[in-house]
Amino acid sequence: MKHLSENNEGECTASSFQTKIITAKYAKADVHGAINMPVYRNAAFEFEDSQTIAAAFQHRTDLHTYSRISNPTVANFEEKIKLASGAERVVALASGMAAISNTFLCIASAGNNIVSSPHLFGNTFSFLKSTISFFGIEVRFIDINDLEAVKSAIDENTCAFFAEIITNPHMEVANLPEISKILKERNVPMIIDSTVIPWCGFDAKKAGVDIEVVSTTKYISGGATSIGGAIIDYGVYDWKANKKLGLLPKPKGMSRFMFKLRAEIVRNIGAYMSPDTAYLQSLGMESLQLRYERMSGTAYRLAQYLSDHPKIVKVNYPKLNTSPYKSISDRLFFGNPGAMFTVNLSSKDACYKFMDTLKIIRRATNLFDNKTLVIHPESTIFGTFPSETKKMMGIEDNLIRFSVGLEDLEDLKQDIDTGLAAL
């Protein structure tokens, strides 16, 4: 297969994921020829004359004015994500939750509704259920695996469909291509949180996704070095039907969504990514595919290994033959579907006893660190939720979530065996 060529400017271009990220060029050549993008920590940027600074503030140039709005180091990171994902535009933010909140503040208005699943990460559910509802926005929680329920939930006030590509911690996989057909018929955008599978393992645009949100803290940061998030716009949805964005004239070179996001929401909310974070995560991007393949491969082998263990009630991983989501997972994802899996033990007490015995695997929150992590979601991530809410969200108190890192497979097996032997 031909991977390398030259474009009309004589620059090397690449078709492979890994090479594209490594060979990504700066917007401007570094004065010292640095091969890693420098960290521009300054707040402000100087202009040669009044006309130029006025043009920059009025969005008539791509020049940087103030680092709360844009920054060269962050812009370089955004360009890497754009290359990795095939998106039209990318905005990097301070966290994954900032990506989610900025997205919905951009598109939703009082009287709108959002169709989603109750099977979401804790803070995402809390944002939709509690925070945004006080702005007069309804969230309709349904079983998104029921396509008829999806159809029934959508009406003329639906501003978006939102889901996670693999639910955390339920390990459910939505049939995005079929849902996309319904949404296109109703002219509703699909917004997906793809944190659990990076772009080398999932083609969001091909699956029908319009807007992608991701916590770059996870795989991308390169070992949990920093907190970050990103909003990825594929530029395929026409926002004319949106009550907010339809009022805007179509901007040149970007969607109405991205213009609103850049020109207003990101500026006013103030959650743009810091240049230091962008520098660390740009380095993390360079080893993303290598780490992902190792971590997801180990996760699959561990899930297989534990599937028949007598002290485990159930193992949840979409590639297992026992998973009801294997077929759609195999269609959507390349290789193994991520480095997260869960197990059900006999009780909550058994979960605690097992976790407390582990020596190599760390008891910590976060996903896709270089270190393997374990957590009991019901008492931690969802620990402050009322019991009836946990029940509605499908949170089980005998479930443990694993995030697999880069340790040796046999060492992880031995550590888990020791924990299970203590039960």
Side-chain angles (χ1 to χ4, degrees):
M1 178 183 290
K2 186 177 182 181
H3 286 283
L4 298 177
S5 63
E6 286 191 354
N7 62 18
N8 292 334
E9 285 74 41
E11 292 180 337
C12 179
T13 60
S15 59
S16 69
F17 182 92
Q18 185 68 34
T19 308
K20 276 193 295 189
I21 304 307
I22 295 291
T23 59
K25 300 292 184 183
Y26 307 153
K28 294 184 178 180
D30 179 67
V31 65
H32 298 294
I35 62 171
N36 287 327
M37 181 67 172
V39 183
Y40 286 86
R41 290 194 178 93
N42 51 297
F45 300 86
E46 184 181 11
F47 292 81
E48 292 185 359
D49 56 61
S50 301
Q51 293 292 336
T52 308
I53 191 171
F57 270 85
Q58 293 169 29
H59 316 295
R60 289 187 280 115
T61 74
D62 289 330
L63 296 174
H64 304 284
T65 60
Y66 191 63
S67 283
R68 173 171 52 80
I69 299 167
S70 67
N71 174 278
T73 310
V74 184
N76 179 67
F77 177 57
E78 291 168 340
E79 184 62 23
K80 284 182 179 286
I81 294 178
K82 182 179 169 182
L83 285 171
S85 63
E88 181 180 89
R89 294 270 178 159
V90 175
V91 174
L93 295 162
S95 68
M97 285 308 305
I100 290 170
S101 58
N102 276 249
T103 295
F104 286 111
L105 289 173
C106 186
I107 68 168
S109 54
N112 281 163
N113 64 74
I114 299 162
V115 174
S116 186
S117 166
H119 295 172
L120 297 168
F121 170 66
N123 290 121
T124 305
F125 179 86
S126 178
F127 172 78
L128 294 175
K129 177 70 174 174
S130 303
T131 307
I132 204 169
S133 63
F134 282 95
F135 293 88
I137 299 160
E138 178 191 1
V139 182
R140 298 176 175 176
F141 293 110
I142 62 166
D143 178 2
I144 62 173
N145 292 303
D146 181 346
L147 297 180
E148 291 302 317
V150 175
K151 291 178 184 178
S152 299
I154 294 170
D155 63 22
E156 66 276 7
N157 292 315
T158 303
C159 69
F161 170 89
F162 175 76
E164 297 171 356
I165 55 171
I166 300 180
T167 60
N168 174 13
H170 315 81
M171 305 302 296
E172 295 175 351
V173 184
N175 192 335
L176 298 185
E178 290 302 314
I179 293 173
S180 177
K181 292 177 184 177
I182 297 169
L183 299 179
K184 282 180 169 52
E185 289 173 0
R186 309 294 182 89
N187 198 22
V188 172
M190 179 188 284
I191 302 173
I192 294 297
D193 184 336
S194 65
T195 296
V196 297
I197 308 282
W199 305 288
C200 54
F202 171 61
D203 188 332
K205 186 175 181 179
K206 185 177 179 182
V209 176
D210 297 298
I211 302 292
E212 190 177 2
V213 294
V214 60
S215 170
T216 58
T217 310
K218 310 304 190 288
Y219 294 112
I220 296 161
S221 72
T225 61
S226 48
I227 303 291
I231 301 172
I232 297 130
D233 180 6
Y234 288 95
V236 294
Y237 183 75
D238 186 351
W239 294 93
K240 283 191 296 186
N242 183 273
K243 289 182 179 180
K244 274 186 180 180
L245 305 184
L247 299 174
L248 298 173
K250 178 68 171 72
K252 186 178 180 180
M254 67 177 78
S255 68
R256 290 178 174 87
F257 168 82
M258 188 55 65
F259 181 77
K260 177 86 169 177
L261 188 68
R262 279 283 191 190
E264 179 191 329
I265 303 299
V266 169
R267 288 175 178 237
N268 294 352
I269 301 299
Y272 195 58
M273 180 176 278
S274 76
D276 286 274
T277 295
Y279 175 79
L280 290 170
Q281 298 198 355
S282 292
L283 296 181
M285 282 282 287
E286 294 184 355
S287 60
L288 169 61
Q289 185 174 20
L290 300 175
R291 288 180 289 102
Y292 174 70
E293 289 176 355
R294 166 70 181 254
M295 293 156 72
S296 62
T298 302
Y300 176 47
R301 288 190 285 274
L302 279 175
Q304 286 180 307
Y305 175 71
L306 296 173
S307 291
D308 297 323
H309 198 288
K311 292 185 178 179
I312 290 178
V313 175
K314 183 171 64 172
V315 179
N316 308 286
Y317 188 73
K319 195 174 180 178
L320 295 177
N321 290 329
T322 53
S323 172
Y325 307 103
K326 177 175 169 53
S327 176
I328 185 61
S329 174
D330 289 346
R331 284 176 57 200
L332 286 177
F333 309 127
F334 322 138
N336 299 305
M340 174 177 71
F341 71 92
T342 65
V343 301
N344 290 77
L345 299 181
S346 59
S347 66
K348 182 175 180 175
D349 287 341
C351 292
Y352 279 14
K353 189 170 185 179
F354 167 78
M355 290 171 59
D356 290 345
T357 308
L358 299 172
K359 303 299 181 186
I360 294 175
I361 300 171
R362 319 296 180 96
R363 292 169 291 276
T365 193
N366 200 21
L367 288 168
F368 319 130
D369 194 321
N370 290 343
K371 304 170 183 66
T372 298
L373 310 177
V374 67
I375 198 166
H376 181 253
E378 188 272 340
S379 62
T380 55
I381 298 167
F382 302 91
T384 59
F385 286 29
S387 57
E388 61 270 19
T389 302
K390 293 179 187 178
K391 184 177 180 180
M392 186 264 280
M393 296 180 72
I395 302 302
E396 302 169 305
D397 69 357
N398 66 333
L399 180 139
I400 296 173
R401 187 189 75 185
F402 287 89
S403 167
V404 178
L406 296 174
E407 301 93 342
D408 182 78
L409 172 63
E410 295 305 318
D411 291 333
L412 293 175
K413 283 182 180 179
Q414 184 176 345
D415 201 34
I416 292 172
D417 283 344
T418 301
L420 293 172
L423 300 182

